Amino acid sequence: MDQEKIGKFISVCRKEKGLTQASLAEKLGITDRAVSKWETGKSLPDASIMLELCELLEINVNELLTGEHIVMDHYKEVAEANLLELQEQKQKSDKTLLSIEWYLVAVIVPVYVLMVITGSYLANKGNIVLGVVLIVTGLLATLVVGIIGLKIEHDAGFYECPNCGERYVPTMSAVVWSTHYGRTRKMRCPHCGHKGYHKKVLTREKGGI
Ligand SMILES: [Zn+2]
């Protein structure tokens, strides 16, 4: 996906509609800095805003993602290629996020253990304040890493229901309060209501990885 081309296309379409960056941003309820970032190719419009943006610019999503007006003959091919590429990008970044989570856990657990051992040792030796500070700091750091990890697990990929095969994104609280082993979590399927262990998958299509 050519972000620069898409950016220039947004800029051209916006001017054709007689809109400034600021007035387009206002209609979308975002900052004009975000619009400027799209137009300079630094970022892509968020998926949640794409449809509204296309409506305002009177183009369709595929034209937006291709960065040009598409003649109807090629429309379907281009549409499929774009969709596929978007999915691949999301899958790749989800994979990165999930491996970051493992690194975080791998770092924080030994650090935490070390802080508790050192803290207890110091407390035993009479240095109670420093000992307690160490233990509490270790606890807080572990808590922060835990929250980051949960957020990553919620945002990256999908969970699959073993009963109906539905793949879904659960609510944040379902992720936080569910029992789990590894990334498999005990949750209720929003489709069939099955309650059981649902495993993490990277794609939404059934049968994918
Ligand atoms: Zn189900």
Side-chain angles (χ1 to χ4, degrees):
M1 215 157 279
D2 187 343
Q3 275 185 215
E4 257 176 50
K5 189 176 169 196
I6 294 172
K8 283 188 189 131
F9 185 59
I10 294 176
S11 165
V12 168
C13 293
R14 170 178 63 75
K15 284 170 194 156
E16 276 173 10
K17 291 275 158 269
L19 293 165
T20 61
Q21 288 189 344
S23 59
L24 177 63
E26 202 195 322
K27 282 178 194 289
L28 291 167
I30 55 171
T31 63
D32 44 356
R33 222 181 108 67
V35 175
S36 151
K37 273 170 116 180
W38 304 338
E39 294 191 355
T40 48
K42 288 200 186 88
S43 72
L44 280 177
D46 194 68
S48 60
I49 224 167
M50 260 183 205
L51 282 179
E52 215 183 330
L53 172 65
C54 288
E55 219 167 276
L56 286 171
L57 299 180
E58 288 182 46
I59 55 175
N60 61 54
V61 173
N62 285 298
E63 289 175 315
L64 176 75
L65 293 175
T66 315
E68 61 189 20
H69 291 291
I70 304 168
V71 264
M72 272 327 252
D73 318 356
H74 299 294
Y75 189 78
K76 201 160 172 263
E77 290 161 44
V78 176
E80 279 163 7
N82 277 332
L83 259 184
L84 216 67
E85 203 175 325
L86 263 190
Q87 268 171 9
E88 272 166 19
Q89 276 182 5
K90 163 105 170 72
Q91 233 171 297
K92 235 165 129 184
S93 68
D94 281 358
K95 231 177 173 168
T96 314
L97 270 178
L98 288 171
S99 52
I100 289 174
E101 187 198 5
W102 282 127
Y103 288 129
L104 278 176
V105 172
V107 169
I108 196 65
V109 170
V111 167
Y112 174 59
V113 171
L114 199 73
M115 283 175 109
V116 169
I117 292 173
T118 316
S120 319
Y121 175 79
L122 287 173
N124 274 333
K125 289 279 168 199
N127 210 334
I128 292 169
V129 174
L130 193 59
V132 169
V133 166
L134 262 181
I135 293 172
V136 170
T137 312
L139 259 176
L140 285 179
T142 312
L143 197 70
V144 169
V145 168
I147 291 169
I148 295 172
L150 282 171
K151 176 97 179 71
I152 289 178
E153 258 179 63
H154 173 262
D155 293 353
F158 308 89
Y159 286 89
E160 185 181 64
C161 166
N163 188 43
C164 68
E166 173 84 359
R167 293 185 170 193
Y168 63 95
V169 177
T171 61
M172 190 66 201
S173 86
V175 171
V176 172
W177 299 111
S178 56
T179 50
H180 66 107
Y181 59 90
R183 290 194 177 117
T184 299
R185 295 186 169 271
K186 192 173 185 183
M187 290 187 296
R188 186 179 292 281
C189 169
H191 187 65
C192 72
H194 168 269
K195 194 163 183 189
Y197 284 96
H198 296 180
K199 73 170 200 267
K200 167 126 269 169
V201 288
L202 278 177
T203 54
R204 187 172 276 263
E205 295 77 51
K206 294 172 185 178
I209 49 157

